[in-house]
Amino acid sequence: MRETERPATERPATAGSAVPLPQARTGDGSCPVGPVTVHYWPVDHLDALDFDPLLHRLVREEPVALVRMRFGEGHAWLVTRYEYVKEVTSDPRFSRALTVGRPVTGMTPHNIAPARGIGRTDAPDHTRLRRLVARAFNRKRAAALRAETEAITERLVDGMMSHAAPADLAEHVSGPLSERVIGKLLGVPRGDLDRLQQWRAVILSTDASPERSSTVKADIAAYFRQLADHRLREPGDDLFSELSSAQAGGALSRPELVSLSVMIVLNALDQVRNQCTSMVYALLTHPVQLAALRADPGLLPSAIEELLRFIPQRSGVGMPRIATEDVTVGGVTVRAGDAVYVSYLAADRDPAVFTDPDRLDLTRDEAPNLAFGHGPHYCLGASLTRMQCHAVLSTLLRKAPALRLALPPEQVRWRRGTVNRGPEALPLAW
Ligand code: HEM
């Protein structure tokens, strides 16, 4: 069993192999300090909680680096150090809207985020969309959802434990929980979830062709357009009904409503399931940490933060930003028009911020993790995710004192060819 998760071995022939860039671009803009290399980053599949070896190296050695990935054109900056990641993501001189129509080098053959989606807008449009969601997802709705989440989790865990062991946590608990919670929040009928799951699998895959992905995106958009029409006729007590009526009143456009709902539903179905399941895997493969948590259940909220920091929930990087003017980041001049990625995963393993960053330490109290991002694009689902992970872990800790993996950790199968990482299944015994 591994108490410390080391980075996977770097393979020089692929990950991180560097080609010199003819033009020197580092320095303070006036004094170039030599040739810069472009790292080829194929974003290979990683199993379990293995950490990307290139990210591990760059955060230590080259926190503002140039990378080229499998798809798209040219190269982009990759910022990995905690402090610089926070700088870039809160600086309005880095635009998301300018990525629309730009074939920036990336890890998927298709663009996951829709052009009018919340992730690809800047202020003031972005601020307007965020406010609308914040208003619709108000305290009352959040409190009701919390009570419901706890009740659903209780039933699902009981259901799993009424089976003979082994039983798969993802199938019995984390998968259905995320479906039911988002179904409730958005008012998506239960019978439609299978279809949404199939669309999710294509849109969040790293190898679907642009044609296939476009067809599926058109299908899911048509689905939400119809649902919006329906909710306008028959409003429910849910976030989507509220956003649909805001749209009818002119507060947002129909394409904005649709792409926002698509983003929310895709993330909710995928990330919560993966994250809760990976958290249980991490605890069960770090028995000393698990024992500490069992001895002091009050540790759970900080344990969840540490698990968020430690678990590499995704492959590669998310969406890039485009510099609107020359900006110096970590002593490197990023030119106007350059594409810039940040890696929250790498920032969360920055040794300048976290002592022994590759170690899971549930009592750690050093700095907030950046798992949900930073700045104006901070994840909209952060509290929802924390709420569900808390419900799953607290219920399992309480009901299953002898919880364990039902097979050796090396035999757990991990999802392949998808943007978000997580176990395919997590067979448990208790
Ligand atoms: C473990 C679970 C999750 C993780 C690690 C995660 C992480 C992130 C990150 C890193 C960002 C981007 C920050 C940036 O662009 O700078 C983001 C944005 C976003 N997330 Fe999540 N997320 C999770 C769950 C969810 C859930 C459950 C939902 C929906 C209910 C959601 C909805 C969104 C949306 C809509 C955005 C775009 C926000 C914007 O551009 O303003 N996420 N998330």
XYZ file of all heavy atoms in Angstrom, residues 20 23 42 48 55-56 87 96 102-103 132 202 208 232 250 255 264 302 308 314 343 390 392 426:
187
model
N 14.094 22.964 -29.276
C 14.416 24.368 -29.068
C 13.518 25.274 -29.897
O 13.130 24.927 -31.002
C 15.870 24.484 -29.531
C 16.306 23.120 -29.937
C 15.127 22.219 -29.959
N 13.253 31.502 -31.353
C 13.181 32.845 -30.819
C 13.280 32.820 -29.295
O 12.502 32.145 -28.654
C 11.780 33.270 -31.157
C 11.531 34.639 -31.495
C 10.014 34.680 -31.766
O 9.374 33.668 -32.034
N 9.475 35.840 -31.683
N 2.281 14.840 -24.539
C 1.216 14.035 -25.149
C 0.054 13.738 -24.202
O -0.983 13.258 -24.638
C 1.937 12.743 -25.535
C 3.110 12.668 -24.631
C 3.499 14.068 -24.275
N -4.396 5.051 -11.416
C -4.481 5.295 -9.978
C -4.327 6.791 -9.673
O -4.927 7.619 -10.335
C -3.433 4.452 -9.244
N 4.384 17.659 -15.302
C 3.928 18.699 -14.365
C 4.803 18.708 -13.118
O 5.165 19.764 -12.595
C 2.466 18.449 -13.950
C 1.406 18.651 -15.033
C 0.020 18.323 -14.480
C 1.423 20.081 -15.559
N 5.158 17.516 -12.658
C 5.984 17.388 -11.465
C 7.324 18.086 -11.668
O 7.839 18.769 -10.796
C 6.187 15.895 -11.157
C 6.739 15.633 -9.790
N 8.073 15.429 -9.559
C 6.132 15.561 -8.592
C 8.257 15.234 -8.258
N 7.104 15.299 -7.656
N -1.899 34.403 -9.969
C -1.755 35.683 -10.676
C -2.492 35.651 -12.016
O -3.286 36.534 -12.320
C -0.271 35.917 -10.998
C 0.455 36.794 -10.000
C 1.954 36.795 -10.308
O 2.371 36.959 -11.488
O 2.696 36.606 -9.344
N -10.682 34.700 -21.752
C -11.246 33.425 -22.194
C -12.003 33.619 -23.526
O -11.984 32.766 -24.395
C -12.203 32.889 -21.136
C -11.517 32.091 -20.037
C -11.018 30.781 -20.621
N -10.304 29.960 -19.677
C -10.832 29.355 -18.624
N -12.097 29.523 -18.327
N -10.103 28.595 -17.868
N -9.907 30.093 -31.946
C -8.437 29.948 -31.983
C -8.066 28.476 -31.798
O -8.405 27.886 -30.771
C -7.809 30.716 -30.809
C -7.531 32.181 -31.052
C -6.163 32.468 -31.644
N -4.998 31.890 -30.994
C -4.117 32.574 -30.271
N -4.280 33.852 -30.048
N -3.056 31.970 -29.772
N -7.389 27.873 -32.748
C -7.042 26.449 -32.602
C -5.820 26.239 -31.710
O -4.790 25.719 -32.134
C -6.760 26.026 -34.052
C -6.301 27.277 -34.722
C -6.911 28.450 -33.997
N -26.383 35.413 -12.059
C -27.675 34.743 -12.250
C -27.670 33.365 -11.586
O -28.634 32.971 -10.939
C -27.960 34.576 -13.752
C -28.390 35.843 -14.471
C -28.326 35.658 -15.977
C -29.822 36.200 -14.047
N -19.115 11.003 -24.573
C -18.502 11.444 -25.837
C -17.841 12.814 -25.660
O -16.679 13.022 -26.028
C -19.552 11.506 -26.975
C -18.935 12.072 -28.248
C -20.162 10.138 -27.214
N -12.732 11.395 -28.953
C -13.866 11.490 -29.886
C -13.490 12.446 -31.023
O -12.828 13.453 -30.785
C -15.097 12.012 -29.159
N -40.762 26.544 -19.070
C -41.455 27.834 -19.119
C -42.963 27.614 -19.005
O -43.671 28.396 -18.378
C -41.128 28.568 -20.424
C -39.781 29.296 -20.400
C -39.477 29.909 -21.757
C -39.783 30.382 -19.321
N -35.061 38.120 -20.532
C -33.979 38.826 -21.225
C -32.674 38.937 -20.455
O -31.742 39.605 -20.895
N -28.795 30.653 -26.145
C -27.536 29.884 -26.226
C -26.745 29.919 -24.922
O -26.121 28.934 -24.534
C -26.749 30.569 -27.354
C -27.778 31.266 -28.168
C -28.888 31.650 -27.237
N -22.893 22.577 -16.581
C -23.224 22.156 -15.218
C -23.509 20.654 -15.194
O -22.973 19.911 -14.371
C -24.417 22.967 -14.671
C -23.999 24.428 -14.458
C -24.940 22.371 -13.364
C -25.087 25.351 -13.934
N -11.233 19.071 6.860
C -9.871 19.370 6.375
C -9.333 18.183 5.579
O -8.551 18.350 4.636
C -8.943 19.755 7.522
O -8.639 18.641 8.306
N -8.739 16.829 -1.956
C -8.919 17.626 -3.182
C -7.568 18.090 -3.718
O -7.325 18.121 -4.918
C -9.804 18.847 -2.898
C -11.304 18.580 -2.776
C -12.019 19.786 -2.159
C -11.914 18.266 -4.134
N -7.811 15.184 -12.986
C -7.974 15.306 -14.422
C -6.679 14.955 -15.145
O -5.615 14.890 -14.537
C -8.396 16.714 -14.796
C -7.385 17.803 -14.421
C -7.641 19.060 -15.232
N -7.658 18.741 -16.635
C -8.566 19.183 -17.499
N -9.477 20.024 -17.124
N -8.522 18.810 -18.771
N -1.930 25.071 -14.645
C -2.231 23.744 -14.104
C -2.497 23.870 -12.607
O -1.576 24.107 -11.822
C -1.082 22.766 -14.335
O -1.338 21.591 -13.567
N -18.549 14.924 1.294
C -18.694 14.872 2.750
C -19.757 13.835 3.124
O -19.556 13.011 4.029
C -19.070 16.254 3.289
C -19.029 16.332 4.788
N -20.049 15.850 5.576
C -18.085 16.794 5.638
C -19.738 16.012 6.845
N -18.548 16.588 6.916
N -20.776 11.206 1.444
C -20.339 9.827 1.171
C -19.317 9.376 2.216
O -19.448 8.297 2.816
C -19.743 9.716 -0.260
C -19.055 8.368 -0.462
C -20.834 9.918 -1.300
N -15.026 0.632 -8.152
C -14.261 0.482 -6.911
C -14.933 -0.584 -6.032
O -15.787 -0.261 -5.191
C -14.164 1.816 -6.167
C -13.088 1.832 -5.069
C -11.685 1.725 -5.666
C -13.187 3.092 -4.227
